[in-house]
Amino acid sequence: MFPHDTRRQRLAETMRAHGGGVAIAFTAPEVARNRDSEYPYRWDSYFYYLTGFPEPEAAMVLVADGATTESILFCREKNEEREIWDGFRFGPEAARERFGFDRSLPFGSLDEELPKLLADRPALWYALGADEALDARVHRWLGAVRAQARAGVVAPAQAFDLRAVLDEMRLFKDEHEIATMRRAAQISSAAHVRAMRATRPGCHEYEIEAELLHEFRRNGSQFPAYGSIVAGGRNACVLHYRGNDARLADGELLLIDAGCELDGYASDITRTYPVNGRFTGPQRRLYEIVLDAQRAAIDATRAGARFIDPHDAAVRVLAQGMIDCGLVAGSLDGVIESGAYKRFYMHRTGHWLGMDVHDCGDYREPGAPVPAAAGPGAPAAATAGAPAADTGKPWRVLAPGMVLTVEPGLYVRAASDVPAEFHDIGIRIEDDALVTSSGCEILTVDAPKRVDDIEALMRG
């Protein structure tokens, strides 16, 4: 059985538990880059999760009616002329066989077929409010069904947000997903090793970025999972640094936040190391604080713990380190309670990871409202993405099959009240953790992070 077919069956079971109905998922459109070219195509994650189908102009319809399930793929027809210009198309018949659908129809027949499929169904499941054009199209389909009321045809009386169901499914990775994410993590770890070996004073950040991209692609990764951050010196204190064009100076640190995407699944690694291969005393002192904080967070990443527990564990270590270094003053509990530590550590310690680098899934218990992300946790960011607002709802309990990042950091901008030896030092250490029944498995273990290991690698 196709893994995607298994997911469609699980979705159908959930739909039947709510009375059944019709689910519709569209893939992403192609997007123009400039006058005569498009950005490299990347499908919609929800659509791909259910179908595995890689082409644009496609939609999936799943009918859960009583005890029966029907899966239908709408896709582009074969077109010899367009295939000469743009490449291979599956076409409906081949797509049906290859991706395990019951039926496959031309994408252009959607407006004709959907009113038929929606007629006399109790509910409609789709991404409510995600796209105005899709909402308008759905309204037209429903209008076409309602126009048959005198003939006794009934339109769906309920609508459900399909994403809410898929978010919960995607939060728990199956064996196929875990294997893919392990391989993505291995590729990205190798890229960070390559970057360490290539780094030397006088290089530009973009030269090191090129080493990362080379290693990603030569190992079969289709894309970077997000825009790589290659930040030397003070640039590392900019959480979403994007320039990647500065010259690397002797004596400064280089922070790299970069991971590849493989077959639709992301990896997410950050390493920080000295441009010349040797940490200075102040650099090492702050680095060891961050590394100790990450160890504490990893120890707290286990089944039965709350999502917030790794963050709380990291904050205690970081705050104590800030006190010891003279960055903040006061007792440990006082510094944490007042939030004084946030001047130098202003993001969460992790986020869900999967098909998207900031993957879907509730951070609070299921059904709780999801607060807005704080600080560097914007959807396209490479840093922590957990919600920060206190809604009073309990944080999610970690369970086997979840994958999240563990990424504490310290970012010390130059200021008159900050010890000069720590000025413009930015450090983050990030790994990808799979929650298991006995703790967690670090998928990115092959990327060195101990001081001695980093220095030995760069000497070699």
Side-chain angles (χ1 to χ4, degrees), residues 15 39 54-55 72 137 165 168 171 176 178 205 243 279 285 395 399 403 410:
M15 293 168 63
Y39 284 101
E55 296 181 10
I72 308 166
R137 200 169 190 180
V165 178
E168 189 68 12
L171 185 56
H176 169 80
I178 290 170
E205 292 164 345
F279 287 86
R285 189 175 181 188
W395 291 92
V403 181
L410 281 175

Side-chain angles (χ1 to χ4, degrees), residues 166-206:
L166 296 181
D167 285 353
E168 189 68 12
M169 289 174 58
R170 284 174 54 185
L171 185 56
F172 296 88
K173 274 59 179 179
D174 59 33
E175 292 182 3
H176 169 80
E177 293 174 293
I178 290 170
T180 304
M181 294 186 73
R182 280 199 185 102
R183 179 57 185 151
Q186 291 168 354
I187 294 171
S188 296
S189 296
H192 279 263
V193 170
R194 183 187 184 101
M196 289 179 187
R197 287 176 170 153
T199 300
R200 61 185 60 85
C203 286
H204 286 85
E205 292 164 345
Y206 56 73

Side-chain angles (χ1 to χ4, degrees), residues 40-342:
Y41 183 69
R42 206 276 191 183
W43 50 80
D44 175 80
S45 294
Y46 291 106
F47 173 85
Y48 192 78
Y49 180 77
L50 292 171
T51 68
F53 189 69
E55 296 181 10
E57 294 185 272
M60 181 221 71
V61 174
L62 188 68
V63 181
D65 189 5
T68 63
T69 302
E70 183 182 30
S71 59
I72 308 166
L73 178 69
F74 291 83
C75 65
R76 301 180 301 185
E77 296 185 85
K78 297 290 286 183
N79 185 313
E80 182 177 356
E81 181 179 358
R82 292 317 312 166
E83 290 185 62
I84 290 171
W85 286 92
D86 301 326
F88 173 77
R89 295 181 178 189
F90 278 98
E93 184 58 30
R96 182 190 64 78
E97 296 178 2
R98 170 66 179 80
F99 298 96
F101 282 87
D102 297 315
R103 283 197 288 159
S104 188
L105 299 170
F107 186 73
S109 67
L110 262 173
D111 290 335
E112 177 186 352
E113 296 293 333
L114 259 296
K116 301 176 187 176
L117 293 168
L118 291 171
D120 295 323
R121 307 291 182 188
L124 170 62
W125 304 66
Y126 80 105
L128 292 168
D131 181 86
E132 290 184 4
L134 174 58
D135 285 339
R137 200 169 190 180
V138 168
H139 290 159
R140 289 197 299 272
W141 295 334
L142 293 175
V145 178
R146 294 186 183 110
Q148 304 172 65
R150 291 188 179 182
V153 178
V154 179
Q158 290 183 295
F160 295 91
D161 191 344
L162 180 62
R163 293 167 299 181
V165 178
L166 296 181
D167 285 353
E168 189 68 12
M169 289 174 58
R170 284 174 54 185
L171 185 56
F172 296 88
K173 274 59 179 179
D174 59 33
E175 292 182 3
H176 169 80
E177 293 174 293
I178 290 170
T180 304
M181 294 186 73
R182 280 199 185 102
R183 179 57 185 151
Q186 291 168 354
I187 294 171
S188 296
S189 296
H192 279 263
V193 170
R194 183 187 184 101
M196 289 179 187
R197 287 176 170 153
T199 300
R200 61 185 60 85
C203 286
H204 286 85
E205 292 164 345
Y206 56 73
E207 294 179 72
I208 307 305
E209 181 183 14
E211 299 289 341
L212 297 163
L213 298 176
H214 179 93
E215 194 70 15
F216 291 168
R217 196 69 185 102
R218 83 178 190 93
N219 282 289
S221 162
Q222 294 86 0
F223 309 102
Y226 51 93
S228 300
I229 297 171
V230 183
R234 70 179 62 185
N235 294 334
C237 295
V238 179
L239 298 181
H240 292 170
Y241 178 70
R242 290 288 187 264
N244 293 2
D245 57 1
R247 189 179 294 274
L248 301 176
D250 193 3
E252 67 183 16
L253 295 178
L254 175 61
L255 183 155
I256 297 179
D257 190 335
C260 76
E261 179 180 297
L262 178 68
D263 298 337
Y265 288 83
S267 57
D268 190 1
I269 304 176
T270 307
R271 292 293 184 264
T272 309
Y273 57 91
V275 170
N276 64 11
R278 289 195 64 83
F279 287 86
T280 66
Q283 289 169 352
R284 181 166 186 155
R285 189 175 181 188
L286 293 185
Y287 185 91
E288 293 284 11
I289 292 170
V290 177
L291 188 58
D292 287 344
Q294 198 206 32
R295 290 181 181 125
I298 289 173
D299 288 344
T301 304
R302 61 183 182 275
R306 296 280 179 183
F307 175 82
I308 197 64
D309 291 348
H311 175 71
D312 288 344
V315 164
R316 292 196 69 82
V317 175
L318 292 170
Q320 186 61 60
M322 293 178 205
I323 294 169
D324 296 342
C325 290
L327 295 174
V328 297
S331 67
L332 176 58
D333 289 340
V335 166
I336 293 174
E337 185 176 352
S338 68
Y341 71 90
K342 293 181 181 178

